[in-house]
Amino acid sequence: MSISLQKGQKVSLTKENAGLKKIVVGLGWDEAQKSGGFLSSLFGSSGGESNIDCDASAFLLQNGKLVYKDDVVYYGNLRHKSGTVIHMGDNLTGEGDGDDEQIKIDLSKVPAEITKIAFTVTIYEAEA
């Protein structure tokens, strides 16, 4: 079963799916198309693709709060100490089909003090 979420959308995995044990959160994106507009023609830049580095992260929260910095799983901390959440690695370009980054979660191993897992997506050097 696959669920596609939009920005800010939430889904409960325990109430409706009590037997659910393992999930994968996937993030996919593609290279941005350069516009090749007026300034590009003045400075000799043509259109084409530009690499964008998106990063998926998981925050393991206690009563809605991050208690320990190692409760964040991301490209710099690929595995939570409990083995509950594993980040499968950083994709720097978005090249290729399907998920570019994945985070695997074993819901049966979530420590009792963790009340919520929040996922975020950030764009590295977004202003550029």
Side-chain angles (χ1 to χ4, degrees), residues 64-82:
K65 297 183 181 189
L66 181 65
V67 177
Y68 303 105
K69 67 179 180 179
D70 60 348
D71 283 341
V72 180
V73 178
Y74 66 109
Y75 64 87
N77 180 34
L78 295 176
R79 183 181 185 94
H80 188 262
K81 60 190 171 208
S82 67

Side-chain angles (χ1 to χ4, degrees), residues 27-32 49-57 74-76 87 89-95 100-102 120-128:
L27 170 63
W29 71 95
D30 294 313
E31 300 89 352
E49 294 182 343
S50 175
N51 290 338
I52 295 176
D53 180 12
C54 291
D55 295 307
S57 303
Y74 66 109
Y75 64 87
H87 192 296
D90 193 15
N91 181 316
L92 301 175
T93 65
E95 187 175 339
D100 296 308
E101 291 192 13
Q102 290 185 335
T120 64
V121 176
T122 55
I123 303 172
Y124 182 74
E125 295 185 350
E127 290 184 23

